[in-house]
Amino acid sequence: MEIEKIIAENQGTIVDVRSYGEFLGGNVAGSINIPLNEIPERIEELKKLKAPLILCCASGMRSGQAQGYLSQQGIECYNGGSWLTVNYYKSISN
């Protein structure tokens, strides 16, 4: 399924992997913040979220790293790239 459709139809959970400070500076409405460096210790929390997870950050680099790790853990997830892109797809669905 296209990531744009998953976002537009609110089919999963948007997880922003930027730092808390970056997240406070602007984020996708309804997203949750789990910084990249906290993902291994919060894996059980991530497994309980509504899948698929749409991962985003500033450019797509950190969310790509998170996607690789979480996929290895058996979690269905996608790299949404920049949070601004994810925000755009979410906004056109409303």
Side-chain angles (χ1 to χ4, degrees):
M1 178 174 289
E2 291 181 13
I3 191 168
E4 295 90 347
K5 186 174 181 187
I6 294 168
I7 296 165
E9 296 179 1
N10 293 312
Q11 294 183 12
T13 304
I14 299 170
V15 179
D16 192 319
V17 299
R18 295 177 297 153
S19 71
Y20 183 66
E22 288 174 289
F23 184 76
L24 286 180
N27 56 71
V28 179
S31 65
I32 63 168
N33 179 226
I34 300 180
L36 180 62
N37 64 332
E38 294 180 15
I39 285 179
E41 63 204 44
R42 296 177 71 178
I43 196 77
E44 292 306 316
E45 179 183 346
L46 285 155
K47 286 179 179 177
K48 292 176 185 168
L49 297 173
K50 180 182 174 190
L53 304 184
I54 307 299
L55 306 163
C56 62
C57 62
S59 68
M61 186 73 87
R62 286 175 282 183
S63 53
Q65 291 175 317
Q67 194 249 339
Y69 177 78
L70 293 172
S71 292
Q72 290 177 338
Q73 306 304 310
I75 296 174
E76 181 186 6
C77 58
Y78 299 93
N79 181 1
S82 165
W83 75 271
L84 293 167
T85 302
V86 173
N87 198 45
Y88 170 76
Y89 290 129
K90 189 149 179 78
S91 71
I92 59 174
S93 69
N94 295 332

